[in-house]
Amino acid sequence: MNETAHALPSADLTACDREPIHLLGSLQPHGFLLALEGPDLRIVQASANVPDMPGRAAGRLRGAPLAEAFPELLAAVSAGLSAQPDRAGASYLQTLTLDTVHGPRSYDLAAHRSGDLTLVELEEVTSESASVHSLDALYPRLNAFVEGLHAASTVEDICALLAADVRHITGFDRTLVYRFDRDWHGTVVAEDGNGVLPSYLDLRFPASDIPAQARELYRRNRLRIIPDAGYEPVPIVPRLTQSTGAPLDLSQSVLRSISPVHVEYMRNMGTMASMSVSILVDGALWGLISCHNEAPHRVPLQARNACDFLTRIFALQLAAKERAALAEQRLRLGAIQARLLGFMAEEEHFLDGLLNHPDDVLALADAGGAAIVTSEHCRCLGVTPSSREVRGIYDWLSAHHGREAVFATDTLGSVYGAARRFAERASGLLAISISQKYASYVLWFRPEVVQTVKWGGNPTKPAVQDPDGGPARLHPRKSFETWKETVQGRSRPWSVPEVDAAKDLRSAVLGIVLRRAEELAALSEELQRSNKELEAFSYSVSHDLRAPFRHIVGYSELLRAREGDRLSEKGRYYVNTIVEAAFSAGTLVDNLLSFSQMGRNALNCVSGDMNTLVEEVRRKVLRDVPAERSVRWEVGALGRVHADPVMLRLVVENLLSNAVKYTRGKAEAVIEIGREPDQDGEAVFFVRDNGVGFDMAYVGKLFGVFQRLHRVEEFEGTGIGLANVRRIVERHGGRTWAEGALDRGATFHFTLPLPGGAH
């Protein structure tokens, strides 16, 4: 059964949360209250149980200054308010005795501010409590508690110590330490009892048992006492405050009455008295000390103050232990992160620093598996869902959480339904985005932890019809017997240091990416400048060299034509050699000039039929093939491409010319032009021949300028043709490569990007 199935209908919970438990307009009867207003502390409201004094009826107090109605209180109240004017809660001022018509009675006096009013509360003191719960009597216990806190090694130990000491001081039948989780469900983590009431240790209670406004009151007013759940509430007279038109705000009241729902809850639990002390850690409600008694039970103010003191010391020690544990975890994760950053810095591709050290990647988040996912690649480490399932998580994150730097959940299946199929491997997900431009993630996975939760009664509490015929409302549970639930689809939660470590890793990765991008941008700028200078230089040199070579050829031919008869055989050989060398040099310069212009001319890409282009080039190449040569052409279906037709023609012409040239020693030359299946958005073409081939050991030289693998005496050429092929293809965004073997032919491949709709 999934835990989320027990979420109560929002209307039910809202009705409970809206109950104005701080505005009930009544008190518990073990004391009385005065509401004072103005600089003269005039009595504007009072509880109906204010005692009559000799010669001074309680019914005539309204409107009277405190100095006239209760002169015994004036000095203490004035001094207390002056000493702590900004204190939020009630302050104990002193214990005093009032002469009433029923004889002298002792009261503990407390006061606090409520808006513009001063609320004075007098709680009646029982005669037997003074000596038993005096500071001298309580001190040994308090001292032993402090020493025990220092000796306790775990949070569980100090919780058990607190439960035992609070029960000893207060005399309740059962004392619980109750801890809230992040969903405000509470678990009893420690207990001390005398056996009168059943044990609730390790039981869990739903958040609806202590609704939001009750938790807020627990945070603001740390200690609450209910000596007798069967009491008759004492009304405040008049019900509304004249200056505000609203009931008196009793949030900080010591004597405040309790909600009828809570009274019913206590009776169903089998308790008639209770006390709670709030455990606040750094101002937040961590949990409660909850005390219960089967019969009515009064706890004097001194004993309650001692419990409040113990709880504050406990909270400080608890905070210290939790901070120490978090600090230790942060240090450990920081060391792992430092190692990973070092690994990434050592790699040319920084993500290899993560992929090559999977143990540290998993340890950084204490995860069972991890994955590094981009739009092109998915690399998994440890125990993870399949690559296809990880890719599904990646797509879901990109679509629904693409703007979030960090995403964490311990119930992935509840937010991404497809994850329920692989809950045993990935019920928990921690993800960081490692690119500010593209969807790229590092993902950590935690497996499902199936556990049995023991609830204090069935946690489902539907609204039921009021027995008096009123509207449906949320009633407190009537049974607290253990109700077991199997929780599935949930992993161990990610701790704050683990999430912070992932955030820090993300910042570091983005820093590396940014630094690499800046380095590449600077390098690219320098290369562009160098290329422009080199192109300008090569263009200038090749352009300026064309004229001298033409002059050499021209004058050599004139010399051979006019003076050839007078030249010796050796002289004519020299002249012919000069003409051939100058002509070859001129051709080389022309090719160099053409190569330099390749980077200067803008691309003019259009869609065209590749078979038509190849056929035109093939016919042109055949013009220079002797009639006696046998050449067999095998041209496949090449489809259409989107490219610059002039430049693409040069690519095809160079490749076909080379194929014809390097197969001329074969009885039958076989030249094949084809298209392979498209790959990753690219059209792949090849030109294959059965010629002389080449040694693959020198394949890296093939596409370089002036690089030749055969002697000029064997095959003519300048060594620029294939360099032009590569440059043109790369300008289109494609790739080139070659395969071959000596005397077994060669195959040259090139690719062109596929635009949308190209085939």
Side-chain angles (χ1 to χ4, degrees):
M1 183 185 307
N2 192 295
E3 186 180 49
T4 57
H6 293 143
L8 296 175
S10 58
D12 298 344
L13 287 176
T14 302
C16 189
D17 286 344
R18 286 200 306 264
E19 186 181 10
I21 57 177
H22 62 302
L23 302 174
L24 293 177
S26 62
L27 299 182
Q28 298 180 68
H30 57 282
F32 67 92
L33 175 145
L34 304 171
L36 314 176
E37 187 177 54
D40 59 346
L41 300 179
R42 182 170 33 89
I43 299 173
V44 293
Q45 286 174 283
S47 59
N49 63 340
V50 175
D52 294 324
M53 304 296 177
R56 196 172 55 203
R60 297 197 300 270
L61 291 177
R62 186 180 175 194
L66 186 66
E68 177 184 323
F70 287 98
E72 311 94 317
L73 308 183
L74 181 62
V77 171
S78 300
L81 295 177
S82 300
Q84 296 179 312
D86 299 324
R87 182 183 173 92
S91 299
Y92 167 72
L93 303 181
Q94 67 180 67
T95 300
L96 50 79
T97 300
L98 297 179
D99 289 324
T100 72
V101 294
H102 301 291
R105 291 184 177 179
S106 296
Y107 294 91
D108 289 325
L109 174 65
H112 69 279
R113 296 283 189 187
S114 178
D116 294 331
L117 302 179
T118 298
L119 301 190
V120 175
E121 296 179 89
L122 292 95
E123 181 181 353
E124 191 168 358
V125 178
T126 57
S127 58
E128 68 274 9
S129 67
S131 59
V132 176
H133 296 97
S134 66
L135 180 61
D136 290 340
L138 292 172
Y139 178 77
R141 191 77 188 184
L142 298 178
N143 186 60
F145 176 78
V146 173
E147 293 180 355
L149 281 181
H150 290 294
S153 58
T154 66
V155 171
E156 291 75 12
D157 290 341
I158 62 175
C159 287
L161 183 66
L162 179 65
D165 278 56
V166 169
R167 197 184 78 79
H168 183 273
I169 291 172
T170 61
F172 276 102
D173 291 332
R174 179 181 63 205
T175 297
L176 314 172
V177 178
Y178 181 91
R179 180 175 187 173
F180 292 111
D181 65 17
R182 60 181 179 177
D183 297 320
W184 294 109
H185 301 311
T187 301
V188 178
V189 295
E191 180 183 76
D192 191 78
N194 58 13
V196 173
L197 294 175
S199 172
Y200 283 178
L201 185 62
D202 294 330
L203 291 188
R204 196 179 196 195
F205 296 84
S208 56
D209 277 17
I210 304 178
Q213 89 281 24
R215 294 194 298 268
E216 176 58 19
L217 280 182
Y218 278 126
R219 189 188 67 80
R220 295 170 58 194
N221 192 349
R222 291 191 307 273
L223 196 146
R224 289 283 288 131
I225 178 75
I226 305 170
D228 184 357
Y231 73 94
E232 287 293 329
V234 177
I236 294 174
V237 182
R239 189 176 67 86
L240 301 180
T241 304
Q242 185 176 3
S243 59
T244 64
L248 199 60
D249 185 346
L250 299 175
S251 298
Q252 303 292 341
S253 170
V254 176
L255 300 170
R256 184 183 77 240
S257 194
I258 60 174
S259 161
V261 173
H262 188 71
V263 172
E264 189 178 347
Y265 188 96
M266 289 181 62
R267 289 172 178 169
N268 293 344
M269 187 184 281
T271 61
M272 290 301 293
S274 72
M275 185 184 82
S276 63
V277 188
S278 303
I279 302 171
L280 302 179
V281 176
D282 296 329
L285 187 62
W286 182 91
L288 299 171
I289 302 169
S290 186
C291 307
H292 306 109
N293 214 68
E294 186 180 44
H297 181 64
R298 283 283 300 275
V299 178
L301 178 65
Q302 293 87 343
R304 302 203 308 265
N305 286 340
C307 292
D308 185 38
F309 178 71
L310 290 184
T311 304
R312 292 188 185 213
I313 296 175
F314 165 83
L316 291 174
Q317 188 73 5
L318 176 67
K321 285 187 177 296
E322 290 190 339
R323 288 194 191 102
L326 290 176
E328 182 180 351
Q329 188 180 23
R330 290 184 191 280
L331 286 173
R332 180 176 57 81
L333 297 180
I336 296 171
Q337 182 187 353
R339 287 201 301 271
L340 288 174
L341 292 179
F343 296 146
M344 287 190 288
E346 294 171 357
E347 299 287 348
E348 180 179 355
H349 300 290
F350 70 92
L351 287 180
D352 289 341
L354 301 178
L355 294 170
N356 295 336
H357 299 86
D359 290 343
D360 279 338
V361 173
L362 298 180
L364 185 69
D366 192 14
I372 299 174
V373 196
T374 66
S375 57
E376 296 88 12
H377 304 291
C378 175
R379 296 286 300 276
C380 296
L381 311 171
V383 180
T384 70
S386 68
S387 296
R388 180 179 57 81
E389 291 166 337
V390 171
R391 179 65 66 182
I393 296 173
Y394 166 85
D395 292 338
W396 171 76
L397 280 172
S398 302
H400 296 89
H401 300 277
R403 296 184 179 180
E404 298 177 26
V406 179
F407 175 83
T409 178
D410 58 7
T411 54
L412 180 59
S414 66
V415 292
Y416 174 56
R420 297 190 186 101
R421 296 194 301 269
F422 47 84
E424 73 282 357
R425 287 164 288 155
S427 285
L429 172 67
L430 174 60
I432 58 172
S433 170
I434 56 173
S435 174
Q436 294 178 333
K437 187 174 182 181
Y438 305 104
S440 303
Y441 291 94
V442 177
L443 311 176
W444 286 274
F445 304 106
R446 275 183 177 168
E448 176 185 45
V449 178
V450 179
Q451 56 181 323
T452 299
V453 175
K454 296 187 295 182
W455 293 89
N458 190 330
T460 58
K461 299 197 314 182
V464 296
Q465 191 69 29
D466 191 278
D468 298 328
R473 70 181 181 91
L474 190 66
H475 286 269
R477 69 180 73 255
K478 291 181 170 58
S479 170
F480 291 85
E481 293 182 3
T482 302
W483 192 90
K484 294 184 179 180
E485 175 196 26
T486 300
V487 178
Q488 295 177 311
R490 185 182 289 270
S491 72
R492 287 185 300 106
W494 307 98
S495 69
V496 172
E498 288 163 349
V499 175
D500 288 344
K503 290 180 181 177
D504 292 342
L505 180 65
R506 176 182 185 269
S507 299
V509 168
L510 291 180
I512 293 173
V513 172
L514 180 61
R515 186 169 64 252
R516 294 279 175 90
E518 290 174 347
E519 292 172 354
L520 289 174
L523 180 60
S524 176
E525 185 178 344
E526 179 63 22
L527 287 174
Q528 288 179 3
R529 185 186 63 79
S530 299
N531 281 338
K532 287 180 180 179
E533 291 178 354
L534 182 59
E535 287 173 1
F537 173 75
S538 62
Y539 179 82
S540 175
V541 169
S542 59
H543 184 273
D544 293 344
L545 282 176
R546 294 175 76 186
F549 283 126
R550 285 175 181 170
H551 289 163
I552 292 172
V553 171
Y555 281 108
S556 297
E557 289 180 343
L558 284 174
L559 177 62
R560 186 170 55 188
R562 294 186 179 184
E563 304 294 334
D565 294 340
R566 286 188 285 175
L567 293 174
S568 66
E569 187 67 27
K570 185 172 288 189
R572 284 193 294 274
Y573 172 76
Y574 290 156
V575 171
N576 290 336
T577 301
I578 291 171
V579 171
E580 289 177 3
F583 184 80
S584 177
T587 302
L588 183 60
V589 168
D590 287 340
N591 289 340
L592 182 60
L593 181 61
S594 175
F595 181 77
S596 68
Q597 289 174 334
M598 287 296 174
R600 302 161 68 93
N601 297 334
L603 292 178
N604 182 25
C605 295
V606 296
S607 179
D609 184 77
M610 192 68 167
N611 280 91
T612 301
L613 177 62
V614 168
E615 181 59 23
E616 292 174 358
V617 173
R618 188 183 71 84
R619 289 178 181 176
K620 179 182 177 182
V621 170
L622 281 176
R623 295 172 192 162
D624 298 324
V625 176
E628 63 273 13
R629 280 198 62 185
S630 175
V631 180
R632 176 158 57 91
W633 298 86
E634 297 179 356
V635 182
L638 305 178
R640 299 184 67 82
V641 294
H642 190 77
D644 185 307
V646 176
M647 290 192 177
L648 186 57
R649 180 181 293 272
L650 289 175
V651 169
V652 176
E653 189 171 334
N654 271 295
L655 293 178
L656 296 191
S657 296
N658 279 353
V660 169
K661 177 168 63 176
Y662 290 108
T663 57
R664 66 188 176 198
K666 297 294 182 179
E668 182 184 41
V670 179
I671 301 172
E672 181 184 0
I673 305 103
R675 178 171 178 171
E676 298 175 359
D678 298 341
Q679 301 176 13
D680 298 326
E682 290 183 320
V684 184
F685 301 95
F686 66 89
V687 176
R688 181 177 294 120
D689 65 63
N690 64 338
V692 296
F694 60 87
D695 189 341
M696 284 294 288
Y698 303 103
V699 69
K701 295 184 176 182
L702 270 181
F703 294 95
V705 181
F706 305 133
Q707 297 293 331
R708 293 176 51 83
L709 302 187
H710 303 279
R711 292 181 301 167
V712 177
E713 292 82 357
E714 294 178 312
F715 299 99
E716 69 282 358
T718 60
I720 293 181
L722 289 179
N724 271 334
V725 168
R726 170 160 285 180
R727 194 167 200 189
I728 292 170
V729 170
E730 288 181 347
R731 286 203 63 195
H732 281 78
R735 301 171 294 123
T736 55
W737 69 96
E739 301 160 353
L742 288 174
D743 296 322
R744 297 176 60 183
T747 303
F748 290 84
H749 301 264
F750 69 93
T751 69
L752 294 172
L754 282 171
H759 299 285

